[in-house]
Amino acid sequence: MASSLTKDSASTTGTEKTFFGHPRGLATLFMTEMWERFSYYGMRALLIYYLVSGGADAATGSQGGGLAMTTATATAIYSVYVSMVYLMAMPGGWFGDRVWGARKTVAIAGFVIMAGHFSLAVPGQAMFFVGLILVAIGSGLLKANISTMVGHLYDGPEDPRRDGGFTLFYVGINLGAFVAPFVVGTIGKEHNWHLGFALAAVGMGLGLTQFLIGTRNLSPKSSVVPNPLSPEERKRVLVKVGLACLAVVVFYGAVVGLGAYTLNWALVPLTLAGLLIPLAVLTRIKRDKELSATEQTKMSAYIWFFIAAAVFWMIYDQGGSTLSLFADGKTADSVFGLGFSATWYQSLNPLFVMALAPVFAWLWLWLARKNQEPNTIVKFAMGLVLVGASFFVFIVPMNMAGDGTKVSPMWLVSIYMIQTIGELCLSPVGLSVTTKMAPQKYASQMMGIWFLAVTAGDCVTGLLSLGGVSLNGIGVIALEAAAAVVAGLAVYMYRNKVKAMMGSVH
């Protein structure tokens, strides 16, 4: 596959093949990530519909055979699942750094993800949850290591091709995410759920095949374990993990034995863990006495960005749950007489990212030349206000659909576009500021900590759903929108204080 995307270019030997001027290994990683995102976003486009289909509470679809859960339970499961994918990025990075190395970790992750999707393709609630767990674990292992392998292809941070390489890699992510809802989503939702999940497994299989065939083109650094566990450390880790697993088995065995087990016994602890773990990690770093005064101050500033990001993702990730349910139940399913599946809305975000990211890159450079580019704090505030505004816009079609009227698809197109513009204001600069403000001692861990903001935001959504709050109500949507706008205005009002704490970081 990679050979069709490579081309000859001038090099020191005159015969070296490259991928659009970049190391040939980038083609391998591009295709691996594209197919992994195809499998992930294809399955995610189906998830909320499969959970609610087949019961009296199902708000969507004519196809039965789903799990017939209430919308509240389905939203909670969706939110917990997405949060766990990002939570697993931290142990995923640890495995790459200390146990297997990035290359081996990604290969194992591919097999785990594929097994997860095949489990989802088997009818039955038990196999469904096994599949979700496997996909979450595998995605966390892969997400934390494949970007590191892209960096290994270049000669350090100063290599002029580095930024362009990551841009191409980012295109692969969005290309896979864009195509998946059209293929996996349509076949799964409109024809057969389990065939859709199986197609997601096939997609991951293609990505894994590409990776294994093209692994010879990757940097030797990708096979190195940077900081391997000593025998003593390995023994301590195995003992701790074993004891933790034993405690879980004993606890849940007792709950099941007493006949008290319900789904909430699994969802509530996971949701609380998704909130408490980010809090514990940030607290541990902030209270580390080995950090210098400057690093401590920067971490205080970073907490502002972390909380802001959590609020942003709390709303943004409802694009696959709350907005998806509205798309199927209360939005017209045709344009100009052409019908389409509600899963297609999940292609809007990657489409807008690919279309608007170059525009924003140009805009920031143009404003920088005029010395008018907004700083990181202002961009964060813009992202929060925009994601809040998208939910204020959402209230309009919700009111229109109150009497059973099917609203125009353009309402959701507009909402997804506003959210994507907000994402382009917040997400790229969030990644950048994380690397710039990281204490030296925690430099390799801070990217995982940034992903914990997604975990925290999604777990708030999950906790609200588990608490009986309907996220499909106008009042809750208005409160979430107001919270995001207020958070954005607060960040903007305190921008000078936060800027002072950031020190030399701009």
Side-chain angles (χ1 to χ4, degrees):
M1 281 183 259
S3 60
S4 64
L5 291 171
T6 57
K7 61 180 182 179
D8 290 324
S9 69
S11 67
T12 54
T13 65
T15 59
E16 180 184 345
K17 287 188 175 182
T18 65
F19 178 65
F20 296 107
H22 291 268
R24 194 176 180 185
L26 184 62
T28 297
L29 299 177
F30 176 99
M31 296 295 289
T32 303
E33 180 71 354
M34 185 191 77
W35 284 114
E36 188 275 330
R37 293 290 88 182
F38 173 90
S39 70
Y40 175 76
Y41 281 100
M43 181 276 284
R44 210 173 86 159
L46 291 178
L47 185 55
I48 196 75
Y49 298 128
Y50 178 67
L51 288 168
V52 301
S53 174
D57 190 63
T60 63
S62 58
Q63 182 196 170
L67 297 184
M69 294 182 177
T70 64
T71 54
T73 302
T75 301
I77 291 172
Y78 174 89
S79 299
V80 170
Y81 165 69
V82 175
S83 72
M84 290 301 108
V85 168
Y86 288 91
L87 181 62
M88 288 295 107
M90 283 202 74
W94 182 86
F95 269 95
D97 285 343
R98 308 217 62 189
V99 182
W100 292 324
R103 185 182 305 191
K104 186 175 180 180
T105 304
V106 168
I108 291 171
F111 281 107
V112 173
I113 293 169
M114 189 166 59
H117 288 303
F118 276 127
S119 297
L120 292 170
V122 178
Q125 190 172 115
M127 290 304 293
F128 171 80
F129 285 110
V130 168
L132 280 191
I133 292 169
L134 290 174
V135 174
I137 292 171
S139 296
L141 287 170
L142 188 140
K143 180 181 287 292
N145 289 282
I146 196 165
S147 296
T148 300
M149 295 172 70
V150 174
H152 288 162
L153 297 172
Y154 300 96
D155 297 325
E158 304 305 318
D159 191 321
R161 302 170 299 169
R162 187 182 181 92
D163 286 350
F166 274 98
T167 300
L168 274 174
F169 183 69
Y170 196 58
V171 169
I173 293 172
N174 285 284
L175 189 60
F178 171 71
V179 173
F182 292 111
V183 181
V184 177
T186 303
I187 291 174
K189 183 177 183 300
E190 308 302 333
H191 300 285
N192 185 287
W193 300 114
H194 302 290
L195 180 57
F197 291 133
L199 281 174
V202 171
M204 187 64 252
L206 290 171
L208 181 58
T209 301
Q210 164 69 31
F211 182 78
L212 296 175
I213 290 174
T215 190
R216 64 185 182 277
N217 297 316
L218 301 177
S219 168
K221 294 179 187 176
S222 298
S223 298
V224 175
V225 181
N227 183 23
L229 290 171
S230 66
E232 295 77 13
E233 288 176 315
R234 186 180 296 271
K235 183 178 179 180
R236 284 199 299 270
V237 168
L238 289 173
V239 169
K240 289 180 180 178
V241 171
L243 289 174
C245 291
L246 180 62
V248 169
V249 169
V250 170
F251 176 79
Y252 281 99
V255 171
V256 172
L258 292 170
Y261 181 80
T262 64
L263 190 57
N264 280 358
W265 278 99
L267 293 178
V268 172
L270 287 173
T271 306
L272 292 175
L275 290 171
L276 295 175
I277 290 173
L279 178 63
V281 170
L282 287 171
T283 301
R284 178 172 61 85
I285 294 176
K286 187 70 182 68
R287 299 174 74 175
D288 189 337
K289 298 186 183 302
E290 293 183 12
L291 300 187
S292 67
T294 301
E295 289 176 325
Q296 286 279 5
T297 303
K298 286 182 179 179
M299 278 305 301
S300 297
Y302 184 75
I303 290 172
W304 278 78
F305 292 113
F306 185 92
I307 295 171
V311 173
F312 178 89
W313 296 117
M314 177 186 71
I315 293 178
Y316 181 90
D317 275 346
Q318 289 183 60
S321 55
T322 306
L323 289 177
S324 287
L325 291 171
F326 186 86
D328 197 48
K330 299 180 180 179
T331 305
D333 59 359
S334 64
V335 176
F336 304 121
L338 299 174
F340 59 90
S341 171
T343 61
W344 290 17
Y345 287 105
Q346 297 305 304
S347 291
L348 289 173
N349 171 252
L351 174 64
F352 288 141
V353 167
M354 289 188 289
L356 296 177
V359 176
F360 271 74
W362 170 85
L363 177 63
W364 299 141
L365 287 173
W366 181 71
L367 289 173
R369 285 195 294 267
K370 297 166 68 71
N371 201 31
Q372 294 178 351
E373 182 187 7
N375 62 31
T376 297
I377 306 165
V378 174
K379 289 177 182 176
F380 254 75
M382 290 167 60
L384 282 165
V385 170
L386 283 166
V387 82
S390 75
F391 263 28
F392 278 128
V393 171
F394 187 26
I395 292 172
V396 178
M398 289 182 79
N399 274 315
M400 293 170 63
D403 61 357
T405 301
K406 296 262 187 170
V407 303
S408 167
M410 293 310 297
W411 283 106
L412 286 180
V413 172
S414 301
I415 292 166
Y416 280 113
M417 184 173 70
I418 295 169
Q419 291 188 350
T420 302
I421 294 172
E423 177 192 5
L424 291 171
C425 289
L426 181 141
S427 186
V429 296
L431 290 167
S432 176
V433 80
T434 297
T435 59
K436 291 176 181 177
M437 296 177 68
Q440 187 61 38
K441 180 178 177 180
Y442 298 100
S444 62
Q445 296 181 41
M446 284 297 286
M447 289 310 298
I449 292 169
W450 168 252
F451 287 133
L452 289 182
V454 185
T455 297
D458 283 320
C459 282
V460 170
T461 306
L463 203 59
L464 289 171
S465 296
L466 292 170
V469 176
S470 173
L471 297 177
N472 301 289
I474 291 177
V476 174
I477 294 298
L479 282 173
E480 289 183 89
V485 171
V486 169
L489 293 175
V491 170
Y492 182 78
M493 288 174 60
Y494 285 91
R495 65 191 183 281
N496 291 329
K497 180 179 179 180
V498 177
K499 187 177 180 180
M501 290 190 291
M502 291 171 69
S504 59
V505 177
H506 297 291

